[in-house]
Amino acid sequence: MEMNKCKNKKCQRDLPEGYKHRYCEHCRNKYAKRTKDGIKAVGGVVGSFALLILTKGKFDSRDK
Ligand SMILES: [Zn+2]
């Protein structure tokens, strides 16, 4: 019988029998958190960029 192991090379934890995922719960939680943080970071960048454009637009109209 083939033993399932976490696909994360740094982890290599044994996965329970019948486990549907390729990564263990530990790695999946870590990955989910990283993804969420990544979205938050991207959202922040997009947000400040939109604010910059908005502010610049206001400045431009004030100059006229
Ligand atoms: Zn793992």
Side-chain angles (χ1 to χ4, degrees):
M1 194 185 101
E2 200 181 316
M3 198 68 189
N4 285 326
K5 275 194 176 177
C6 179
K7 288 283 184 283
N8 184 349
K9 279 180 183 140
K10 285 177 191 165
C11 175
Q12 300 268 307
R13 278 168 209 247
D14 291 334
L15 299 176
E17 207 180 319
Y19 195 70
K20 284 175 196 147
H21 307 290
R22 295 196 299 173
Y23 294 88
C24 71
E25 206 68 42
H26 179 80
C27 289
R28 281 168 50 77
N29 284 340
K30 234 161 114 177
Y31 183 73
K33 195 183 175 297
R34 212 189 316 168
T35 308
K36 222 187 270 174
D37 285 351
I39 288 167
K40 221 187 282 171
V42 169
V45 169
V46 170
S48 29
F49 194 62
L51 201 72
L52 194 79
I53 291 166
L54 223 69
T55 316
K56 201 174 181 303
K58 270 181 192 167
F59 269 122
D60 284 349
S61 57
R62 207 180 283 166
D63 281 344
K64 273 175 196 169

